[in-house]
Amino acid sequence: MDKKQTSPKLLQAEFPPAQEEQVPANPPSRKRHLDSDDDAEQQAKRARTTRPTSEPARLTRQNLARFNKMGKKKSSDPSDDSRSTKTKTTSTTSTGFADKARKNGILDPHGSRLAKNLEDIRQQQAKSRATASPPESVYNDYVDRVDRAGNESTIVVATSKRLLKEYPTNYPDAYNRAFTNLPKDAGFNNGLSAPQPDFIEGLEKEEYRPFPVDDYIPGAALYQDDPRSITLPQIAGEWKGPAGDMREARIQSAYDGAAMVHARNKALAYMGKEDPPGHASVTTFTTDGTNLNLFAHYAAPSEEDEGALEYHQSLVSTINLTGSYESFKEGRKHLRNAQDHARAQSYALKDQLKEHYKQQRGGGLHPVATGVPPLPVPGIESLNAYEDEGDYEVVEHQPVHQPTPPTSSKHRSGKTHAHHSHHSHSTPHSSKAPSSTHSSTHSSGGKRKALFSQSSHGSSAPVSKHRSYWKKDRETGQYYHVHSDGTVSWLDDEEDERD
């Protein structure tokens, strides 16, 4: 074999002396590891798996090349922590979110004008609740969990269960879910990712049926392609962990509030309405488990930029939840009252939208206005329930107080002419309705059938159940009806003889 191949100097990479590997006193034969690339690869594998950690793998050219290749492969692994770490899209420190939000008219409490109904909101949130306060053991447990929490997610779980009120399933909540259905050209969100509050709750889109709320109010439903999407919510919340920046949470809540105010104003505008100027109806809160801050939100025209809107955020209250048992109860009460108020606002807005939609489609008309008579209530006879509705043609006008019956034979029991619309008859009496009128009565779904029909074995007074319509002439014993225009119709018994 060539001596050049067995020279020990060529078995090492050309590195400075300080980087050379220490050769063992009795090194094993290296001949078989230099016979081929495959043998070298086997050596590298053995070096990685069998050598003790204190003895590094031999730095040959071939091994070094393979190590470099392995390093590149690892750095491109999608599971690498540096690539898979997810942060909230509205982070104020990494994306310049605060500056972009301000340019879009989203103001913090220092730059906002106080809501005109701020004192009313404070009183509403501070009012006593009908339910009993939690025992002091709940407070002690709360403080212990907050103190032990090591990150934001733990804080959310530990505090939300003990602070927030839960409502029925038709008023759901959602955690850390982005508003995927928000229009990108709403103005307040220019250049920003979608709002993604840690907590939000509101009515489902299904509750607005039959009103297609998302067709008339873009962005009212928060989540795209979700028929159960939370729609037009009025409250949201942001959490921070033990080392979190509460100022960042405040800016994020201002963005959440702007999104809810924008949708609320669009819904009111659809009905031709608006909240009173400076009136706040939307609520947000921020907390790190220790401090709780509640805010009220509204929009107003900008005083600096004509035609633009500004979204104002007013601080309602700040409460230390862990300071004492009393302060814990106070903060819990304020937050739950804010939830109740937001829920009431949601239902009120939903009811107004549905009613407006109903009026727009049908004009708010009762079925009576379309020509359909009201259904009779059993046991109750209305005096004008069957007043003239155009089903009878009258050609003879007679005084109301002196009805003159036509010449006819005696009154007979049996079916009246209302049952024989398929016949065409001429009539010897000018007051009798023509057959065409009978046909229209019959084809109208039989709405007057019960008015006239009786069994052929019934009483000699075929309209005894509808005396409010037909009146009996005391002189002739025949029945007549006086219409609102003064004309008179007679119930002709000769029609019965043609059956």
Side-chain angles (χ1 to χ4, degrees):
M1 182 174 288
D2 190 350
K3 295 181 179 180
K4 201 170 188 179
Q5 292 180 338
T6 59
S7 175
K9 293 183 180 179
L10 297 178
L11 295 177
Q12 298 182 12
E14 296 179 358
F15 287 102
Q19 297 183 2
E20 292 183 357
E21 181 184 2
Q22 298 295 325
V23 180
N26 297 314
S29 175
R30 300 174 184 167
K31 177 180 177 180
R32 64 186 303 267
H33 301 301
L34 299 176
D35 288 342
S36 66
D37 290 341
D38 292 337
D39 290 338
E41 183 175 355
Q42 292 295 329
Q43 179 190 12
K45 290 182 178 179
R46 188 177 295 107
R48 292 193 300 270
T49 59
T50 62
R51 288 175 180 267
T53 56
S54 61
E55 183 179 357
R58 190 171 300 281
L59 295 177
T60 64
R61 286 192 180 95
Q62 292 169 333
N63 289 345
L64 184 59
R66 289 186 176 88
F67 292 154
N68 289 338
K69 184 177 180 180
M70 290 170 58
K72 292 179 180 179
K73 182 178 180 181
K74 183 177 181 181
S75 64
S76 62
D77 190 344
S79 63
D80 184 23
D81 290 343
S82 63
R83 292 175 177 267
S84 61
T85 301
K86 296 180 180 180
T87 57
K88 195 162 186 179
T89 55
T90 53
S91 172
T92 62
T93 57
S94 61
T95 63
F97 171 80
D99 287 336
K100 294 178 182 178
R102 180 61 185 88
K103 291 177 182 178
N104 292 342
I106 300 175
L107 309 177
D108 62 19
H110 300 290
S112 298
R113 295 192 296 273
L114 295 179
K116 292 185 177 180
N117 61 329
L118 184 57
E119 286 305 317
D120 293 337
I121 296 173
R122 286 172 174 164
Q123 292 178 15
Q124 184 275 326
Q125 293 182 4
K127 69 180 182 181
S128 299
R129 296 184 60 80
T131 55
S133 299
E136 190 168 0
S137 60
V138 173
Y139 161 70
N140 294 330
D141 178 66
Y142 177 89
V143 173
D144 182 69
R145 290 177 180 272
V146 170
D147 287 343
R148 293 175 183 273
N151 61 3
E152 183 177 308
S153 297
T154 306
I155 288 289
V156 173
V157 175
T159 60
S160 61
K161 291 181 178 180
R162 292 160 177 81
L163 294 176
L164 294 172
K165 179 180 177 180
E166 293 184 357
Y167 295 99
T169 54
N170 62 344
Y171 190 77
D173 53 25
Y175 288 81
N176 198 28
R177 190 176 180 186
F179 294 2
T180 55
N181 200 39
L182 182 68
K184 295 182 179 180
D185 58 350
F188 68 91
N189 59 342
N190 294 342
L192 299 175
S193 57
Q196 188 174 336
D198 290 322
F199 165 84
I200 199 161
E201 64 183 358
L203 288 167
E204 290 185 343
K205 187 163 65 173
E206 284 287 308
E207 293 294 313
Y208 288 80
R209 290 175 60 89
F211 174 47
V213 60
D214 213 23
D215 293 339
Y216 287 85
I217 309 169
L222 303 184
Y223 314 124
Q224 192 172 16
D225 299 326
D226 184 355
R228 297 286 182 182
S229 171
I230 293 176
T231 302
L232 292 173
Q234 305 292 297
I235 189 170
E238 295 284 357
W239 269 266
K240 285 299 172 186
D245 187 350
M246 288 296 286
R247 291 174 300 178
E248 182 175 308
R250 183 184 65 199
I251 298 172
Q252 289 170 345
S253 72
Y255 188 34
D256 303 337
M260 292 187 290
V261 168
H262 174 81
R264 175 181 175 84
N265 288 347
K266 289 294 183 182
L268 293 173
Y270 162 70
M271 299 183 288
K273 301 179 180 180
E274 62 180 8
D275 281 327
H279 184 97
S281 299
V282 166
T283 303
T284 65
F285 66 88
T286 64
T287 184
D288 57 0
T290 299
N291 297 298
L292 172 69
N293 305 299
L294 287 147
F295 301 96
H297 302 259
Y298 72 95
S302 173
E303 296 179 347
E304 302 173 354
D305 186 1
E306 185 176 356
L309 282 179
E310 290 181 334
Y311 295 85
H312 298 263
Q313 180 185 35
S314 299
L315 178 63
V316 180
S317 60
T318 297
I319 301 172
N320 188 325
L321 296 169
T322 60
S324 66
Y325 174 45
E326 292 300 324
S327 64
F328 171 76
K329 291 191 297 182
E330 193 72 8
R332 184 176 180 269
K333 177 180 68 175
H334 281 234
L335 183 55
R336 294 193 170 203
N337 282 337
Q339 283 184 272
D340 287 346
H341 180 69
R343 185 169 182 261
Q345 292 281 94
S346 292
Y347 273 96
L349 184 58
K350 182 260 297 183
D351 292 342
Q352 293 175 32
L353 288 169
K354 291 178 68 173
E355 181 62 26
H356 181 79
Y357 179 70
K358 178 181 178 181
Q359 293 179 358
Q360 290 294 102
R361 293 194 68 187
L365 295 178
H366 190 273
V368 172
T370 63
V372 180
L375 294 176
V377 179
I380 300 178
E381 293 277 350
S382 173
L383 295 178
N384 59 356
Y386 297 96
E387 198 163 327
D388 180 26
E389 294 174 11
D391 285 350
Y392 297 90
E393 181 179 345
V394 181
V395 296
E396 182 177 357
H397 296 266
Q398 299 183 10
V400 174
H401 60 283
Q402 292 181 346
T404 304
T407 304
S408 63
S409 61
K410 64 178 180 178
H411 186 79
R412 299 174 57 178
S413 64
K415 298 178 181 178
T416 66
H417 60 279
H419 288 280
H420 304 284
S421 60
H422 57 281
H423 296 295
S424 297
H425 304 294
S426 60
T427 174
H429 306 296
S430 61
S431 62
K432 191 175 75 172
S435 60
S436 60
T437 305
H438 302 170
S439 299
S440 65
T441 304
H442 182 78
S443 63
S444 64
K447 65 182 179 179
R448 296 182 182 275
K449 188 173 183 180
L451 180 64
F452 304 107
S453 63
Q454 272 197 347
S455 169
S456 59
H457 303 287
S459 168
S460 61
V463 289
S464 60
K465 293 184 178 181
H466 303 282
R467 292 172 183 171
S468 62
Y469 187 87
W470 296 105
K471 303 296 182 182
K472 186 175 181 180
D473 183 29
R474 288 176 295 180
E475 296 181 3
T476 63
Q478 289 184 276
Y479 289 85
Y480 67 94
H481 173 69
V482 180
H483 297 278
S484 58
D485 60 357
T487 59
V488 179
S489 293
W490 291 90
L491 181 63
D492 192 353
D493 61 343
E494 287 189 5
E495 191 69 16
D496 294 333
E497 298 176 354
R498 298 188 180 98
D499 286 343

